Amino acid sequence: MKAICFYFQIHQPFRLKRYRFFDIGNDHYYYDDFANDDIITRIAQRSYIPAAETLLKMIEESKGKFRCAISITGVALEQCEQYVPEFVDLLKKLADTGKVEFLAETYAHSLSSLADPIEFEEQVKAHDEKIYQLFGVKPKVLRNTELIYCDELAPQILSMGYKGVITEGAKHILGWKSPNYIYSAASAPKLRLLLKNDKLSDDIAFRFSNTEWNEYPLTADKYIDWIASTPPEEQIVNLFMNLETLGELQPRESGIFQFMEALPRFAAERGVEFITPTEAVTKLKPAGELSIMHPISWADEARDTSAWLGNQLQNEAFNKLYSVAERVRLCDDRRLKQDWLYLQGSDHLFYMSTKHMADGEMHSHFSPYETPYQAFTNYMNVLADFIVRVEEQYPLSIENEELNSLLTTIRNQAREIETLNKEVTTLRLNAEHDCEEHATRAALEAEKKPAKKTTKKTAKAKKAE
C-alpha cells in the first residue's frame, strides 16, 4: 500500500531591534518585543491555530487513520508559550492523540551543524528536552535546520540515537532516482533518509491558490489521484512544508482547510494510507544507499546553503559568531547563553542574502530590513556588543592553544569529579550494606540469647520437681 508522510514546520525567530553603533557597550537587550509579539500572534490566529484544529479534526474524523509529523523550534515554542499559549495547548492535544509525531531539530533553528558539532548536539538535546517537557514524547527522527544534510553529518546523527533524518529530494542529488523511497545514508547505513517530494509538496505550499497554474483549482480527489497513480513499487510520498502554508501562504479564502479535510476520505477510497516518519523508517525497507557529499537544503532553486552562506556578508557574520563558541560554553551566565542561542538563528543570515530574481524576492519578502546591508550592519552591531560581554568573562587575548588547554583541564577535572562521586557512592552503598549485615547479626544473636536462658530455667525447674 502506498503511504503519504506529512510533515509541518513551525519556526519564528527572535527578531532584533534596530541596534546602533553607539548602543554597543551600553545596551545589552537586542530584541524587538513588539514585532515578535505582533508577528507570532497574527500568524497564530490566521494559520497555526486553525491549522492545528484542522489536523485534529482530520485525525478524529478518520478515526486515527490520518497522521502526520510536526517540527517546532525551541525559540518558536518559547514565543508561543509567552504570546499564544492556546496554540501550545492545541499542540498538546495533537500529541495526546498518538497520531502526531514530534521531530527533533536544533533549538534555535541554527546552522550549528555546519560549524560546530558540539553545539549542534547540545542544541538538539536541549530541543528534545523541551519537547518531552511539554508533550511527553521523545523524538526519534531528526529534521535539521532548513532540511540541511550531507554524508558528513550522518554518523553523528546516528550516534545521537536517531533512526532517521528528513531532507530535500534534490534533483541534482537523486538524478534518475525517485524521492518516493526510503534510502540508507551512505556514510551510516543504519540511518534512514526520508526525501521531500518537491513537486507534490510545492503544489500545495506555493501553487494551490495560483489562478495562472494550469492545474488550478487543485481538489483533494485530483491530488490523491496523482499520488495513487505513481509507480506501484514506489513506497512513500513525503509532503514537507511550513505550517504557515495552511492559512498564511495559502489564505483561508483559497479553500486550503477544506482541501486538507477532504484528503483522508479520498485517500481511503484509493487505498492510500498516512504514515509518520518513525513508522516509515521502521516499517519500510530502504531501496538502496544515497550519498550526499555536499550540504543540501530545501531553500531556493539551488537547494544548497547559499541562502545563508552565499556572500561575504553572511560568511563574515557566521564566522565571527562561531569564533566565540568555546568561550560561551565555558561561562555560566544564563542571559549570555540565551543571547547566544537567539543570535544563532539562521534567519539573521537569511536577511543578508543578496540573491536576485525569484529567490531574491522570496528573501526580501521575509526580511524586516530594507536591504541586506542594513541587516548585516544591525546584526554585526549586536554581535559586537555580545562579543564584548563574552570577552569580559574569557578575554579574546587568550590564545586558542591556551583556551584548549584550559578546556582540557576543566574536562579532566569534571571526569575526575565524576569518578570520585562514583567511588563515594560505592563506598556509601558498601557501608550501608555492612551496617545492615551487622544489624541483622545483632538481631539474630539477641533472639538466640533469651531462648537459651529460657531453656536452662525450664531444665532447672524440671530437676527441682
Side-chain angles (χ1 to χ4, degrees):
M1 182 179 283
K2 198 174 296 293
I4 295 173
C5 180
F6 260 114
Y7 143 75
F8 300 99
Q9 169 66 24
I10 304 168
H11 168 63
Q12 292 296 330
F14 278 96
R15 292 165 183 82
L16 303 176
K17 66 184 181 183
R18 293 299 186 267
Y19 194 89
R20 302 170 304 162
F21 174 80
F22 299 103
D23 293 326
I24 299 172
N26 298 312
D27 182 2
H28 302 322
Y29 190 78
Y30 310 134
Y31 313 104
D32 188 337
D33 291 334
F34 176 80
N36 290 325
D37 182 354
D38 177 65
I39 291 170
I40 198 163
T41 301
R42 174 173 51 79
I43 294 178
Q45 295 302 323
R46 292 181 58 176
S47 172
Y48 294 162
I49 291 174
E53 290 172 342
T54 296
L55 295 177
L56 196 59
K57 184 178 179 182
M58 292 166 70
I59 292 168
E60 291 170 349
E61 291 186 349
S62 67
K63 297 181 180 179
K65 290 183 179 179
F66 175 78
R67 54 197 66 192
C68 64
I70 289 175
S71 188
I72 178 168
T73 61
V75 291
L77 274 170
E78 286 186 26
Q79 292 180 69
C80 289
E81 287 178 297
Q82 184 174 355
Y83 301 120
V84 279
E86 61 271 32
F87 176 57
V88 179
D89 292 338
L90 277 172
L91 291 177
K92 289 178 180 177
K93 287 183 179 180
L94 286 171
D96 290 342
T97 66
K99 307 302 178 184
V100 176
E101 177 178 355
F102 284 82
L103 303 179
E105 67 167 87
T106 57
Y107 191 96
H109 200 66
S110 74
L111 302 180
S112 55
S113 62
L114 301 177
D116 191 327
I118 297 174
E119 179 65 23
F120 172 61
E121 189 161 341
E122 287 186 358
Q123 274 198 40
V124 173
K125 183 179 178 182
H127 180 266
D128 277 4
E129 290 171 355
K130 184 76 172 177
I131 293 297
Y132 185 75
Q133 172 198 339
L134 288 175
F135 309 119
V137 294
K138 294 183 178 180
K140 297 176 182 178
V141 172
L142 176 75
R143 181 265 186 202
N144 193 16
T145 303
E146 304 293 346
L147 301 192
I148 290 173
Y149 173 80
C150 65
D151 290 343
E152 187 178 345
L153 296 176
Q156 182 182 10
I157 294 170
L158 184 65
S159 70
M160 289 161 64
Y162 299 105
K163 297 180 178 180
V165 60
I166 70 175
T167 188
E168 175 69 24
K171 293 183 178 68
H172 69 279
I173 295 297
L174 286 170
W176 57 269
K177 296 177 181 176
S178 168
N180 301 338
Y181 292 98
I182 298 289
Y183 291 93
S184 294
S187 55
K190 290 185 179 180
L191 185 71
R192 302 292 181 253
L193 304 180
L194 283 163
L195 307 179
K196 173 189 167 189
N197 185 304
D198 186 66
K199 181 194 176 299
L200 289 171
S201 296
D202 290 353
D203 284 344
I204 298 177
F206 298 112
R207 291 184 279 271
F208 182 82
S209 59
N210 182 3
T211 56
E212 296 181 1
W213 182 34
N214 63 347
E215 295 293 349
Y216 181 86
L218 180 61
T219 59
D221 56 339
K222 181 199 292 186
Y223 190 73
I224 291 296
D225 280 345
W226 290 348
I227 292 173
S229 62
T230 56
E233 65 273 12
E234 294 186 354
Q235 308 159 303
I236 184 171
V237 176
N238 298 308
L239 304 175
F240 302 160
M241 61 197 73
N242 291 313
L243 191 62
E244 293 104 293
T245 297
L246 311 181
E248 181 72 12
L249 297 177
Q250 306 301 332
R252 177 185 291 275
E253 297 75 25
S254 69
I256 188 66
F257 293 113
Q258 292 84 350
F259 168 82
M260 290 295 297
E261 289 173 12
L263 288 177
R265 178 165 62 87
F266 288 107
E269 290 177 3
R270 294 301 306 270
V272 177
E273 65 178 350
F274 294 90
I275 194 170
T276 64
T278 294
E279 289 172 336
V281 300
T282 303
K283 295 178 179 179
L284 303 179
K285 293 183 179 180
E289 288 188 357
L290 188 66
S291 178
I292 303 175
M293 297 182 66
H294 303 288
I296 60 171
S297 76
W298 67 350
D300 300 342
E301 288 296 323
R303 299 294 192 264
D304 57 13
T305 59
S306 60
W308 308 274
L309 299 173
N311 62 41
Q312 290 183 350
L313 304 178
Q314 294 168 312
N315 282 284
E316 171 67 19
F318 180 75
N319 294 330
K320 193 75 172 176
L321 175 67
Y322 283 101
S323 69
V324 297
E326 287 285 11
R327 289 170 170 81
V328 176
R329 278 196 286 272
L330 283 172
C331 80
D332 295 319
D333 187 328
R334 291 181 62 185
R335 175 73 180 279
L336 198 68
K337 284 183 175 291
Q338 184 184 62
D339 290 336
W340 164 245
L341 270 179
Y342 295 172
L343 291 177
Q344 286 184 71
S346 63
D347 311 75
H348 304 306
L349 297 169
F350 188 79
Y351 302 148
M352 301 175 199
S353 175
T354 51
K355 286 190 168 186
H356 299 291
M357 305 300 287
D359 288 345
E361 290 173 9
M362 181 63 71
H363 287 240
S364 62
H365 174 74
F366 289 102
S367 177
Y369 302 97
E370 293 178 6
T371 68
Y373 307 100
Q374 189 183 87
F376 173 75
T377 301
N378 201 65
Y379 183 80
M380 293 304 284
N381 285 342
V382 170
L383 191 56
D385 183 79
F386 176 76
I387 291 176
V388 167
R389 292 164 58 204
V390 174
E391 189 173 4
E392 287 174 357
Q393 300 202 27
Y394 292 97
L396 297 182
S397 58
I398 299 177
E399 297 293 335
N400 284 336
E401 289 183 8
E402 190 177 346
L403 181 64
N404 289 334
S405 176
L406 178 62
L407 288 171
T408 302
T409 301
I410 291 172
R411 287 166 185 157
N412 288 339
Q413 288 176 343
R415 279 194 287 268
E416 187 175 347
I417 291 169
E418 186 180 355
T419 302
L420 290 172
N421 284 336
K422 287 180 179 177
E423 289 179 2
V424 169
T425 302
T426 302
L427 290 171
R428 186 184 294 115
L429 290 173
N430 289 338
E432 290 174 357
H433 181 68
D434 290 342
C435 287
E436 288 176 2
E437 283 191 348
H438 181 73
T440 303
R441 288 198 204 97
L444 289 172
E445 288 177 5
E447 287 178 4
K448 288 178 182 178
K449 285 180 181 179
K452 288 179 181 178
K453 288 179 181 178
T454 304
T455 305
K456 286 179 182 177
K457 286 180 182 178
T458 306
K460 286 180 181 180
K462 284 183 178 180
K463 192 175 182 180
E465 291 174 359

